[in-house]
Amino acid sequence: QVQLEDSGGGLVQAGGSLRLSCAASGRAFDSYNMAWFRQAPGKEREFVLAISSWSGANFYYGDSAKGRFSVSRDNAKNMAYLQMSNLRPEDSAVYYCAAGRSAARVMLPSGYDYWGQGTQVTVSS
């Protein structure tokens, strides 16, 4: 079992950058795909991007992340990160990190068993 705690959200101006962190506790962190999702008020949870388990050799990008966001992991520290740049007001949402082991559903919420509590990102225009 894995417990996740995400952090690093805040208020940033459009065009700015922000790095979110996800701290994991529990066993076998490196065996989990790590993903970031986001959810804005009144909208469904949206896939942002993911990094594969173990060495993190594979990346999966949602449309909103392409060219602006990146994901990384540090297995030695049980950490995952979401680096966001060129932020836009429409990026405002609660961002969640998630851990799962499904290769087939790596871009779906159902592919993840463990979730952080969420961290708010607000981008002002």
Side-chain angles (χ1 to χ4, degrees):
Q1 191 167 0
V2 174
Q3 293 81 42
L4 303 176
E5 182 174 355
D6 30 37
S7 62
L11 175 64
V12 62
Q13 288 188 331
S17 299
L18 208 58
R19 189 177 83 153
L20 306 184
S21 298
C22 178
S25 59
R27 300 179 63 182
F29 168 78
D30 50 3
S31 69
Y32 289 91
N33 300 321
M34 296 300 297
W36 291 89
F37 290 79
R38 68 185 186 186
Q39 190 165 19
K43 295 188 177 182
E44 293 186 353
R45 191 162 295 193
E46 175 190 5
F47 172 76
V48 179
L49 75 175
I51 183 170
S52 60
S53 57
W54 306 111
S55 65
N58 296 314
F59 301 91
Y60 307 85
Y61 290 87
D63 290 340
S64 62
K66 293 176 182 176
R68 300 188 299 130
F69 297 177
S70 64
V71 63
S72 61
R73 65 188 301 156
D74 185 337
N75 290 336
K77 296 181 178 179
N78 281 13
M79 295 290 296
Y81 304 97
L82 174 63
Q83 179 68 47
M84 303 184 291
S85 60
N86 193 20
L87 284 161
R88 306 163 180 165
E90 53 265 39
D91 293 319
S92 297
V94 177
Y95 283 71
Y96 300 89
C97 67
R101 288 173 167 163
S102 172
R105 290 174 286 137
V106 68
M107 298 174 71
L108 299 174
S110 61
Y112 295 87
D113 302 303
Y114 306 104
W115 293 82
Q117 81 285 1
T119 184
Q120 176 72 48
V121 172
T122 303
V123 184
S124 63
S125 58

